[in-house]
Amino acid sequence: MSTTTRTTARTTTPTTARTAATDADLLRTAADHARRHDTAALLGALLPGLDGVELRALTDRCRFAHTALLVFPPDAGALRRMLAGAGLAVSEEARPSTVVRERLAARHGRDAAGLEVGILRPAVTGADGERRVVEVFALTVPPGSGLAGLAAHERAAQHEAHLGFEVVRPDPLVLRGLCALFSRHGARPDGGGYNPHEDGTVLYFAAPAGSKAGCPRIELYAPGDHRELLAEHLDRHRTGQPAEVLLRQLTGAWTTQALGAFTELGVPEAMDVEVTRSARQLAAEVGADAETLESLLRYLAALGTVVRDGGGYRLAPAGELLRADAPGSLRPLSLLYAGPFYRSFGGLTGTVRTGRAAFDRLFGENHFDHFARDPALAELFDRSMAASSRMFDPLPAHPAVRAAAAAAAAGEPRTVVDLAGGTGELLARLLTAHRSLRGVLLERPHVVDAAREFLDAAGCGGRATCLVGDFADVPPGGDVYLLSRVLHEWDDARCREILRHLSAAMPPHADLLVVERLLPEDDAPSLATAWDLHMRCNVGGRERTAGHYARLFADAGLELAGHDPLPLDARVLHVRKSAGSSEG
């Protein structure tokens, strides 16, 4: 679409220059808009992120049908004159507008029965030769009417102004697909309704923030009765309202504790994904109060953790991940987040005020020392780190790892050094994928024995050496160094210290792979945003942008060569020694 077309779409909509516009002005602008624009141009302007395939899918399934606005003539004659002044001819009587009447009543706290809103649809011919209409909602407001204040507010706000698209051959699958595509590009559900007078279903959306069409709302009109889909759409609109959203956010702690209790009681192990069991049966097995467990399961059913089936419950796929024996089990994370980290998050206000970790204030020591003193907590923490190991799946194919493996296969010994590598989950993946490589794992004393057991069980213990030490003891002479989810646990000064030890030990040819979540440079959604708060409150560390990490690397004589995506919103940062670095 050309820039000119988008500019036109932006500057000739019914909402333009609304401050001083009369109903007649707005009606002329709406008619002009309907005549000048076509389906593809408007969809591209409304949803500027659409790619070519998506735009074609939309234009195949819906067409620009109307431009709409709400006017407030003093009488029927004034309305006819306004229409004639805009070059619009009407031959039919107005039909009642159920949807707009109810929206007006809700906005202004009035009885809908006292708001007689009619719809007129004078036809125009678009620039593309297509027939479309100007959808005119009219509420008569005689001089001195008690509706004058309502009319003034609505005329200024233009809540009902929208661009309408009629769905061609609608069916539930097509309608759901269109709604999903609109939502994916930032359009938010904004009400709707079924008009029995016309047997048509209306779905309203608020236009996305980046829209260039200049109109705040979009309508999808589907001929026929689609009230089941309408109910889903209205539910999404309701849950997107500010008070509803805030209430859900305020009760987020309940979700953490509900999942934690579900896990700690062993309920996932007592359930099955296919077999339905009653709350009473489950309570007897896990030692819980049946009535209260029923309440917990109802709540978890609303979250999608379990499925309510008749008079009982079964595990949903998400709930299955809380079983101890599930591949990729998240049970350790549930217990950790609902346990010690939950308690310390209660001190977030103090962390925000002072910049110091709430965990340290609550437990009297940092989480590394606290967990090291408690074998059960230490094991839970190590298992929680392994629970996110899916992010490691692509790393055996990283070019630096494959190059080292190829050299080793050709007879040149190559070693992977994993610093603070936990129980060896990542190192085992690399050594298992590349039999020619050898490995070294550096860890704290209480972790090393578990790492040896894990590497032996993975079948690569004979090619791996486990060393006790800290970051001052980085083994020299490695070929690929790994630093996974370590730097985010420390402040900048400690990170520079760690990286300088690394740089001093790395040969000039060595590669360093750093696994972290990256804070976005803009406002894009990211798990790192939440983890940044978690690290500051519970660990004393922080998440960083790629640029921030690049500066830390540079301070240690290293340079960021690039970074690639990993599962669970993580990234692998590829780091090399800087040219002319004096480290080592």
Side-chain angles (χ1 to χ4, degrees), residues 21 78 116 152 312 457:
E116 296 185 7

Side-chain angles (χ1 to χ4, degrees), residues 95-334:
R95 295 185 180 186
S97 171
T98 304
V99 176
V100 172
R101 181 189 65 186
E102 291 177 353
R103 284 171 57 88
L104 278 174
R107 274 200 299 275
H108 296 275
R110 290 180 173 268
D111 182 0
L115 300 173
E116 296 185 7
V117 182
I119 312 175
L120 292 167
R121 293 194 174 94
V124 298
T125 301
D128 54 2
E130 289 280 332
R131 180 188 180 278
R132 55 184 58 97
V133 302
V134 179
E135 189 169 76
V136 183
F137 300 105
L139 173 62
T140 300
V141 180
S145 167
L147 297 174
L150 179 153
H153 172 84
E154 291 292 329
R155 189 178 288 116
Q158 288 291 294
H159 289 301
E160 298 304 328
H162 64 263
L163 302 176
F165 296 84
E166 182 171 346
V167 181
V168 180
R169 299 183 302 278
D171 63 54
L173 184 62
V174 167
L175 287 172
R176 284 189 172 87
L178 291 173
C179 289
L181 190 53
F182 272 55
S183 296
R184 187 157 64 245
H185 287 280
R188 294 177 291 102
D190 190 33
Y194 171 69
N195 191 335
H197 302 288
E198 298 182 348
D199 188 29
T201 305
V202 174
L203 307 174
Y204 287 123
F205 294 84
S211 172
K212 296 178 174 63
C215 198
R217 298 175 67 239
I218 311 166
E219 175 192 303
L220 278 183
Y221 177 79
D225 186 345
H226 303 280
R227 275 180 278 191
E228 182 178 347
L229 185 137
L230 173 65
E232 298 171 10
H233 181 80
L234 293 177
D235 186 58
R236 286 192 291 271
H237 176 224
R238 178 182 57 79
T239 57
Q241 296 304 296
E244 181 99 15
V245 170
L246 186 58
L247 278 174
R248 289 175 182 271
Q249 293 169 343
L250 289 170
T251 59
W254 303 354
T255 299
T256 304
Q257 284 300 309
L259 291 168
F262 182 65
T263 304
E264 187 174 351
L265 288 168
V267 184
E269 284 76 16
M271 297 182 70
D272 189 86
V273 294
E274 296 180 353
V275 179
T276 298
R277 303 189 68 187
S278 70
R280 189 167 298 280
Q281 290 173 317
L282 293 169
E285 184 164 339
V286 303
D289 176 73
E291 186 175 335
T292 309
L293 181 59
E294 175 88 45
S295 177
L296 175 64
L297 290 170
R298 281 199 305 268
Y299 181 74
L300 294 175
L303 297 177
T305 311
V306 302
V307 177
R308 196 170 186 178
D309 190 357
Y313 300 87
R314 53 186 172 83
L315 276 179
E320 192 175 12
L321 287 172
L322 295 174
R323 293 176 60 103
D325 59 356
S329 172
L330 298 182
R331 183 178 190 274
L333 283 174
S334 176

Side-chain angles (χ1 to χ4, degrees), residues 320-366:
E320 192 175 12
L321 287 172
L322 295 174
R323 293 176 60 103
D325 59 356
S329 172
L330 298 182
R331 183 178 190 274
L333 283 174
S334 176
L335 295 174
L336 195 64
Y337 291 161
F341 283 157
Y342 184 89
R343 292 177 60 195
S344 57
F345 237 116
L348 179 60
T349 300
T351 293
V352 175
R353 181 175 289 124
T354 67
R356 295 192 293 272
F359 191 102
D360 299 10
R361 295 197 306 276
L362 178 65
F363 294 102
E365 56 189 344
N366 68 53

Side-chain angles (χ1 to χ4, degrees), residues 38 82 102 126 138 142 181 208 258 327 351 359 392 420 430 445 468 473 496 507-508 530:
D38 59 50
M82 281 195 293
E102 291 177 353
L181 190 53
T351 293
F359 191 102
F392 300 150
L430 302 190
V468 173
D473 306 310
R496 291 188 187 95

